Amino acid sequence: MKQTHHLMTKAGSVLTLIALTLIIGFSSCSSSKDDNPDPGNTKVSYSGTFVKSNNTVTTTATGTVSADLNTSNNELSYTISWNSLTSTVGDMHFHDNGPIIIHIEGFPTTVSGTFSGKTTLTSSQVSDLGAGRIYIQIHTVNFPGREVIATLTKTGTN
């Protein structure tokens, strides 16, 4: 009888230890993405500063572009801010080392403003973005060819 009681006590201790291990293990798990980031969701940050687009443009306009590229799906989230254009905005778009690749729609046509949006880049465009070949142009009524331009350059990874 003593031996049976001893085995039952030992078995109870083992079960208690297993239960505690499971409880501690499960309670240390977290569903927060911040605590356990998915390595496939790396974001690369880019920025650019608007300058006059060429020597024939006379402007004191300024502005910035900030963007984050989600490398898991090539989605580019961006915010464009501009100030003191010579006239209202007529068009705005992304270029890739020359050709227009993304038309931006829905932006305010004011001489100063801010606009945010998202777009998906091709893998070739992602490569060009990393190489500093993607830029944004703002065309205005006074300068329909383009008034200002901002080239996106990498600023960090998070």
Side-chain angles (χ1 to χ4, degrees), residues 1-10:
M1 181 80 159
K2 238 181 183 186
Q3 192 175 21
T4 306
H5 177 43
H6 177 68
L7 287 174
M8 289 178 66
T9 304
K10 194 172 186 178

Side-chain angles (χ1 to χ4, degrees), residues 39 52 62 72 74 87 94 111 147:
K52 68 180 186 171
T62 60
S72 69
N74 293 348
S87 58
F94 287 85
V111 296
E147 184 167 335

Side-chain angles (χ1 to χ4, degrees), residues 124-143:
S124 175
Q125 292 165 347
V126 168
S127 294
D128 286 350
L129 177 64
R133 293 190 284 261
I134 302 289
Y135 55 94
I136 295 175
Q137 289 182 340
I138 298 178
H139 301 256
T140 61
V141 171
N142 287 349
F143 293 100

Side-chain angles (χ1 to χ4, degrees), residues 86-108:
T86 62
S87 58
T88 58
V89 178
D91 201 1
M92 191 180 299
H93 41 253
F94 287 85
H95 286 257
D96 185 351
N97 204 27
I100 296 171
I101 57 169
I102 299 159
H103 287 278
I104 300 170
E105 297 178 9
F107 54 84

Side-chain angles (χ1 to χ4, degrees), residues 12-132:
S13 296
V14 170
L15 288 175
T16 302
L17 182 61
I18 291 171
L20 284 172
T21 303
L22 289 173
I23 291 169
I24 291 169
F26 285 127
S27 67
S28 66
C29 292
S30 173
S31 64
S32 170
K33 289 186 179 188
D34 293 337
D35 293 341
N36 191 12
D38 179 354
N41 284 332
T42 301
K43 293 204 180 199
V44 181
S45 298
Y46 293 86
S47 68
T49 301
F50 281 109
V51 296
K52 68 180 186 171
S53 62
N54 62 51
N55 289 335
T56 63
V57 172
T58 304
T59 185
T60 58
T62 60
T64 59
V65 179
S66 61
D68 286 316
L69 176 70
N70 181 328
T71 60
S72 69
N73 61 8
N74 293 348
E75 183 179 77
L76 185 71
S77 302
Y78 58 88
T79 300
I80 305 167
S81 298
W82 61 95
N83 297 295
S84 305
L85 294 170
T86 62
S87 58
T88 58
V89 178
D91 201 1
M92 191 180 299
H93 41 253
F94 287 85
H95 286 257
D96 185 351
N97 204 27
I100 296 171
I101 57 169
I102 299 159
H103 287 278
I104 300 170
E105 297 178 9
F107 54 84
T109 59
T110 55
V111 296
S112 296
T114 299
F115 182 76
S116 294
K118 291 181 181 184
T119 191
T120 301
L121 302 178
T122 66
S123 57
S124 175
Q125 292 165 347
V126 168
S127 294
D128 286 350
L129 177 64

